[in-house]
């Protein structure tokens, strides 16, 4: 098919560029000795997730139960749902997924953990959880240090869950427009996480994992001691933001929108059919 035969607007994905981006990130994390668990929210396509896992990713990350259901149906069996799951309906769906796959869940509250704990007790199979820490993005998670340690010690008393580590999302790395500025963000992030992990161990709740991730920071994070897993997502396609931040080029942008110019009312203005 010629590209001009496509009806517009159309999402066009360059498979060669996708495969290059996947391979580059796998090699980066492999050399660093950390696991790669890519977030699938960028593409939401089992076909591309399969390319990532086949290339060496240890598993995948999803944003919600519905996305995990699609991926489990497609055969994926090691999934992190990086968002709290609350309520009887969602917990019932989660349990069906757990009958077919390893499902890890992240959270930042006792209330969410209690629901997951009941599910773990009832099923006889404790849920693995990550405790989310706010390392600067200010979206979810308790602050590093004592606030998170206090939460972790409360969670450790809940039957039916197993705390396997700490998780954070360095979304604030998008505001660092140079490598030097991102390194400052990453250094602070990893120092906060390793300190919190140590305090948790001293409080009687040891665990092994530190899971981090964002495409701008992933390469730097993977080189930091203490990190066991990175979860970038945008890298698979890249975009103009990644170009601006210096972690991608036009040649590594794999997704484009094909549009048609449908009007040119003046020499200075045109209208396309892509919104």
């Amino acid at each position: 098919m010629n590209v001009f035969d496509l009806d517009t607007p159309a999402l066009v994905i360059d498979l060669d560029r996708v495969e290059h981006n996947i391979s580059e990130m796998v090699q980066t994390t492999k050399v660093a000795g950390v696991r790669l668990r890519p977030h699938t929210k960028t593409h939401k396509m089992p076909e591309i997730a399969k390319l990532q896992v086949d290339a060496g990713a240890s598993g995948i990350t999803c944003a919600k139960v519905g996305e995990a259901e699609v991926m489990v149906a497609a055969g994926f069996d090691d999934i992190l749902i990086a968002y709290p799951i609350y309520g009887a309906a969602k917990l019932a769906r989660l349990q069906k997924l757990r009958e077919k796959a390893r499902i890890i869940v992240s959270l930042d509250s006792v209330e969410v953990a209690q629901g997951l704990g009941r599910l773990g007790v009832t099923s006889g199979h404790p849920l693995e959880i990550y405790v989310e820490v706010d390392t600067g993005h200010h979206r979810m998670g308790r602050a590093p240090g004592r606030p998170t340690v206090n939460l972790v010690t409360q969670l450790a008393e809940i039957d039916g869950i197993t705390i396997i580590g700490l998780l954070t999302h360095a979304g604030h790395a998008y505001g660092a427009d140079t490598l030097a500025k991102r390194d400052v963000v990453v250094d602070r992030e990893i120092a906060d996480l390793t300190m919190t992990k140590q305090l948790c161990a001293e409080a009687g709740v040891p665990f092994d994992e530190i899971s981090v991730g964002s495409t701008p920071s992933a390469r730097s994070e993977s080189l930091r001691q203490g990190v066991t897993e990175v979860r970038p997502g945008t890298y698979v396609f890249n975009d103009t933001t990644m170009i601006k931040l210096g972690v991608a080029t036009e040649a590594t942008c794999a997704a484009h929108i094909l549009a048609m110019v449908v009007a040119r009312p003046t020499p200075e203005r045109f209208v396309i059919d892509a919104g």
Side-chain angles (χ1 to χ4, degrees):
M1 176 182 289
N2 188 292
V3 68
F4 295 106
D5 295 331
L6 293 172
D7 189 23
T8 57
L11 173 64
V12 180
I13 297 171
D14 187 316
L15 184 58
D16 289 337
R17 293 184 182 185
V18 167
E19 291 176 338
H20 170 273
N21 295 341
I22 289 173
S23 176
E24 186 271 333
M25 190 61 75
V26 165
Q27 290 304 312
T28 295
T29 54
K30 183 179 295 184
V31 169
V34 302
R35 296 192 311 277
L36 174 64
R37 184 184 289 276
H39 207 306
T40 61
K41 62 184 178 182
T42 295
H43 57 76
K44 300 187 182 183
M45 301 179 190
E47 295 84 356
I48 292 180
K50 186 175 188 302
L51 293 176
Q52 293 173 304
V53 171
D54 287 349
S58 64
I60 60 174
T61 304
C62 294
K64 60 180 185 177
V65 173
E67 292 179 8
E69 287 171 332
V70 171
M71 293 300 179
V72 169
F76 295 91
D77 60 4
D78 193 336
I79 298 175
L80 163 65
I81 302 178
Y83 204 73
I85 298 175
Y86 187 79
K90 290 184 177 62
L91 289 172
R93 292 163 63 190
L94 174 63
Q95 180 52 33
K96 290 183 179 179
L97 292 177
R98 297 179 71 231
E99 293 169 0
K100 300 178 181 179
R102 179 197 186 195
I103 306 292
I104 308 167
V105 179
S106 68
L107 53 80
D108 68 351
S109 72
V110 171
E111 292 80 4
V112 170
Q114 288 171 335
L116 295 172
R118 288 191 292 271
L119 189 64
V121 170
T122 301
S123 66
H125 181 196
L127 272 122
E128 296 176 288
I129 68 166
Y130 276 120
V131 179
E132 183 153 3
V133 182
D134 178 11
T135 54
H137 188 39
H138 304 321
R139 184 178 65 179
M140 285 186 57
R142 307 286 177 91
R146 286 299 167 190
T148 292
V149 175
N150 291 341
L151 174 61
V152 166
T153 55
Q154 293 178 71
L155 298 179
E157 299 298 320
I158 298 174
D159 292 333
I161 62 172
T162 301
I163 301 169
I164 64 171
L166 302 177
L167 171 148
T168 195
H169 170 56
H172 52 304
Y174 280 76
D177 57 3
T178 67
L179 177 58
K181 291 179 181 178
R182 278 195 299 279
D183 279 343
V184 171
V185 170
V186 170
D187 287 343
R188 180 72 268 163
E189 172 197 28
I190 305 308
D192 283 342
L193 291 170
T194 54
M195 174 269 294
T196 303
K197 177 185 174 185
Q198 179 61 34
L199 290 176
C200 287
E202 293 172 3
V205 190
F207 42 75
D208 296 327
E209 306 294 337
I210 290 181
S211 177
V212 298
S214 79
T215 291
S217 60
R219 294 169 181 84
S220 295
E221 289 166 333
S222 66
L223 298 173
R224 297 306 196 272
Q225 186 173 1
V227 171
T228 59
E229 177 178 273
V230 293
R231 310 181 320 277
T234 306
Y235 79 95
V236 71
F237 288 165
N238 286 315
D239 56 22
T240 54
T241 298
M242 296 303 108
I243 294 176
K244 181 180 178 181
L245 293 176
V247 296
T249 66
E250 186 174 345
T252 61
C253 284
H256 301 81
I257 301 298
L258 183 68
M260 181 71 69
V261 175
V262 294
R264 192 182 180 190
T266 75
E268 296 80 22
R269 186 171 70 252
F270 62 87
V271 179
I272 63 174
D273 62 353

